């Protein structure tokens, strides 16, 4: 029988931070696809004209973790379930009025 090597527990890569995050910086650039002048936060852009979006890794700062979000609901509280919307059945014609 061969023994399995269990990797040692590595310390957390992101130690808990108690300092608040600095506010995001408004940045401006041209869309790489259509050339429209666009604005974004911390170097992350999305063009409303053509739909181009740059990769999140191109930003100037790291993105905050979920536990750093001030709008995150408290632990133990879940988001309410969404009720499914009722779609018309396929092939069903709308009722005609008088």
């Amino acid at each position: 029988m061969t023994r399995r090597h269990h990797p040692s527990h590595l310390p957390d890569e992101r130690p808990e931070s108690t300092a608040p995050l600095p506010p995001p910086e408004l940045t401006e650039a041209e869309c790489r696809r259509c050339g429209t002048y666009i604005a974004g936060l911390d170097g992350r852009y999305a063009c409303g004209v053509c739909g181009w979006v740059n990769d999140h890794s191109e930003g100037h700062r790291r993105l905050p973790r979920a536990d750093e979000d001030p709008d995150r609901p408290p632990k133990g509280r879940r988001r309410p379930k969404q009720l499914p919307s009722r779609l018309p059945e396929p092939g069903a014609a709308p009722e005609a009025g008088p």
Side-chain angles (χ1 to χ4, degrees):
M1 177 179 245
T2 307
R3 288 186 174 190
R4 289 187 179 177
H5 175 69
H6 295 282
S8 61
H9 177 68
L10 298 175
D12 291 336
E13 291 180 10
R14 302 178 200 165
E16 292 300 320
S17 172
T18 58
L21 291 174
E25 177 186 350
L26 184 62
T27 54
E28 300 166 337
E30 285 188 11
C31 173
R32 293 182 196 161
R33 186 183 294 163
C34 70
T36 302
Y37 188 72
I38 55 178
L41 296 176
D42 292 330
R44 294 177 177 91
Y45 304 104
C47 179
V49 176
C50 70
W52 172 81
V53 177
N54 72 332
D55 191 66
H56 72 278
S57 64
E58 295 178 36
H60 302 160
R61 293 188 265 193
R62 72 171 179 83
L63 291 170
R65 299 184 322 237
D67 60 345
E68 296 171 330
D69 183 0
D71 298 327
R72 183 178 184 192
K75 283 191 173 190
R77 191 165 168 217
R78 294 185 182 177
R79 182 176 292 176
K81 290 184 178 180
Q82 296 288 328
L83 296 175
S85 59
R86 299 191 79 178
L87 298 175
E89 294 182 16
E95 295 181 24

